[in-house]
Amino acid sequence: MKKESKWALGTLIAASVGFAAGVLTAPRSGWRTRKKLSESASKARVDGEKQLKQLYSELQNLIKESETRVKKSKLKVDNEFKKQLENSKKTRIKVKMLLSAIHGGEATDPDLNQMLVEAKKAKSNLSKFLKK
């Protein structure tokens, strides 16, 4: 036998053995596995959306509190604080747009994950400035 045909035969045998082992050891059928994966993905998306809604609400409250403090303060407000407040407002708008996109079916999971990170960061940064 030629070297190429031995290699092809070995590959075919290995693939067959791997397939048989996979079928025999699978915990559930293919459609059940796909259904479970789909349910897990849906649950993760719903959980992410809930977190994003909660972060939106918390950001909204922090922004209102910050604006109230700025209005009541007779001292000059730190430029860094103003910058953080504006960044938080922009993030809040992005969160609202993403939530609308999720309801319209236009958002993807990476968009959701990225916005969760960005909203958490904005909330954390604004909270730090308010504690000063």
Side-chain angles (χ1 to χ4, degrees):
M1 270 185 159
K2 290 184 177 180
K3 189 176 183 179
E4 293 90 19
S5 19
K6 286 182 183 179
W7 184 84
L9 182 61
T11 303
L12 182 62
I13 291 170
S16 299
V17 169
F19 177 76
V23 168
L24 293 173
T25 61
R28 58 183 77 81
S29 67
W31 71 269
R32 284 189 178 155
T33 301
R34 287 189 297 278
K35 184 179 178 185
K36 185 146 177 85
L37 285 172
S38 175
E39 289 170 354
S40 295
S42 294
K43 185 179 182 300
R45 187 180 190 109
V46 168
D47 289 345
E49 185 179 356
K50 284 180 184 177
Q51 287 180 19
L52 200 56
K53 285 179 181 179
Q54 182 179 356
L55 283 168
Y56 177 81
S57 177
E58 291 171 0
L59 257 178
Q60 182 77 9
N61 292 336
L62 286 171
I63 289 170
K64 283 181 183 178
E65 183 180 345
S66 299
E67 289 174 335
T68 301
R69 282 191 185 187
V70 167
K71 287 178 184 176
K72 287 182 179 179
S73 175
K74 294 182 181 180
L75 302 173
K76 278 191 171 180
V77 178
D78 185 4
N79 283 337
E80 190 63 30
F81 179 76
K82 286 181 183 178
K83 183 178 175 183
Q84 188 56 49
L85 182 58
E86 288 305 312
N87 287 340
S88 296
K89 287 179 180 180
K90 289 176 186 176
T91 300
R92 180 190 62 190
I93 291 168
K94 288 180 188 177
V95 168
K96 188 173 185 176
M97 288 172 51
L98 181 62
L99 286 169
S100 296
I102 288 171
H103 291 292
E106 300 167 3
T108 62
D109 289 341
D111 294 335
L112 181 60
N113 292 335
Q114 181 182 354
M115 189 50 63
L116 280 170
V117 169
E118 193 173 328
K120 285 177 183 177
K121 184 178 176 184
K123 177 189 162 206
S124 174
N125 289 341
L126 194 55
S127 294
K128 285 179 190 175
F129 277 105
L130 284 173
K131 288 178 183 177
K132 289 181 180 180

